[in-house]
Amino acid sequence: MTSRISLKAAAKINLYLEITGNRADGYHDLVMILQSIDLCDRVDIRKIGTDEIQILCTNPEVPCDRSNLAYKAAALMQSVYPEIGGMEIAIDKKIPMGAGLAGGSANAAAVFVGIDRLWDLGLTQSQLCDFAAQLGSDIPFCVSGGTALATGRGEVLSPLPDLIDLVLVICKPRQIAIATAWAYQTFRKQELLATSQVKNQNLSSQIVAAIASGGESAPHKIGRLLYNDLERVVLPEYPAIAELKNKLLDQECLGAMMSGSGSTVFAIAPDLDRAQQIAEAVRTDDIDVWVVKSLVRSIFDA
């Protein structure tokens, strides 16, 4: 039996994020469309001779203690399956932190998948997603990946037709990291749910239809329908993010929006050449930029 496994863990973006209700558990009812992208961390899991869980990471800002989602994923699996021994989890971090790209969730998803394979547990994807939902709303999607409609607090997933080779320019102001909890709490405190901009427009159905339509026109349709409720609290608080979004829109992209709770902003490009041009136009010493494509899965062999 193998003693180690190396996996790629993909980031995600939100093509759509609508807050539809406040939940008693402190979370929010959501309608989201999530997409895996080929900006990935590498997660190496190695069996060790003790029962310890050891976390290593190339980014010194990532906590390597019990607060790390990868640690929590491993500890949860150990608590359910006594045969699981100790492990070293080494994370080569490429997905930026505090970016709305679910980097920590992706790492946890890789740990769930990696443990299942290393210890030959034979779990289904549905079972892995059930474990993932115990730790965080984004982690089930990071287990399954591709293109999906997410409801509930984000953990109820319905697969959508794969978006093949959707080209995106991902931009992050280097000095800005945003806490997801702050964004949602501020949205609730400002009572923005009562002034929903899309509640009666059926916009989520329109973007689902655009994805399902496929073909060369799909990116154009999707670009016109991008929506994120959290922009309503984040952009006024962080004008640099609003400025970056406007700069992308000035580059004749198909659409631009903040992903998740930010601070990442992305643009949909018509093709790879145009994406490279957009990237060069917005890249500065203070803004990190990646040109990426959509993926049909989120966890795969490194």
Side-chain angles (χ1 to χ4, degrees):
M1 185 179 294
T2 184
S3 63
R4 62 170 62 228
I5 190 168
S6 296
L7 298 169
K8 289 289 187 72
K12 66 86 185 162
I13 57 167
N14 298 74
L15 297 172
Y16 186 88
L17 192 162
E18 180 184 357
I19 301 172
T20 59
N22 296 323
R23 296 164 57 111
D25 61 7
Y27 288 94
H28 295 77
D29 286 316
L30 304 170
V31 177
M32 299 188 293
I33 294 173
L34 306 175
Q35 177 62 54
S36 301
I37 59 172
D38 63 355
L39 174 59
C40 302
D41 289 344
R42 176 179 170 130
V43 179
D44 296 317
I45 306 171
R46 180 176 66 87
K47 294 179 180 179
I48 58 177
T50 70
D51 290 332
E52 289 182 294
I53 300 168
Q54 300 172 2
I55 305 289
L56 306 172
C57 187
T58 55
N59 185 337
E61 295 180 15
V62 173
C64 291
D65 56 18
R66 293 171 183 264
S67 67
N68 189 297
L69 279 174
Y71 184 103
K72 291 181 179 181
L76 175 59
M77 296 297 275
Q78 280 186 340
S79 71
V80 177
Y81 298 97
E83 65 269 33
I84 293 175
M87 68 197 81
E88 176 191 87
I89 301 168
I91 302 168
D92 183 9
K93 200 77 182 145
K94 304 297 184 186
I95 304 170
M97 299 171 63
L101 297 175
S105 295
N107 297 159
V111 170
F112 283 123
V113 172
I115 287 175
D116 174 54
R117 289 173 56 181
L118 262 184
W119 275 273
D120 199 22
L121 299 177
L123 298 173
T124 65
Q125 186 175 93
S126 178
Q127 289 173 311
L128 290 170
C129 287
D130 287 343
F131 282 120
Q134 296 180 44
L135 292 188
S137 301
D138 279 337
I139 306 176
F141 172 75
C142 290
V143 168
S144 57
T147 312
L149 174 69
T151 55
R153 57 179 171 85
E155 86 287 9
V156 182
L157 300 172
S158 302
L160 294 173
D162 290 326
L163 284 171
I164 307 296
D165 290 336
L166 186 70
V167 181
L168 302 132
V169 182
I170 308 291
C171 308
K172 182 189 181 299
R174 194 170 295 168
Q175 303 303 321
I176 301 176
I178 296 173
T180 300
W182 170 85
Y184 280 101
Q185 289 166 6
T186 304
F187 187 93
R188 184 177 293 207
K189 286 177 184 175
Q190 294 183 5
E191 299 182 346
L192 293 176
L193 193 63
T195 58
S196 172
Q197 298 173 337
V198 293
K199 187 175 290 184
N200 299 317
Q201 296 180 29
N202 207 24
L203 194 59
S204 60
S205 296
Q206 293 181 52
I207 193 168
V208 168
I211 291 168
S213 70
E216 293 183 3
S217 65
H220 296 261
K221 296 175 184 175
I222 294 165
R224 291 193 294 267
L225 295 167
L226 299 173
Y227 181 79
N228 184 348
D229 258 332
L230 291 178
E231 286 191 337
R232 300 167 67 193
V233 296
V234 174
L235 299 191
E237 185 73 20
Y238 294 93
I241 299 176
E243 181 181 338
L244 179 56
K245 178 183 174 181
N246 288 332
K247 193 171 182 181
L248 285 169
L249 289 170
D250 288 342
Q251 298 304 312
E252 299 179 9
C253 62
L254 303 182
M257 189 177 74
M258 184 181 78
S259 181
S261 56
S263 57
T264 293
V265 182
F266 69 88
I268 299 176
D271 54 51
L272 198 55
D273 286 343
R274 185 71 195 121
Q276 297 289 0
Q277 293 168 6
I278 293 170
E280 287 306 310
V282 300
R283 183 182 283 113
T284 70
D285 291 341
D286 299 320
I287 297 173
D288 291 320
V289 181
W290 300 265
V291 173
V292 303
K293 289 186 176 182
S294 55
L295 291 176
V296 300
R297 54 194 174 131
S298 56
I299 306 297
F300 49 96
D301 289 332

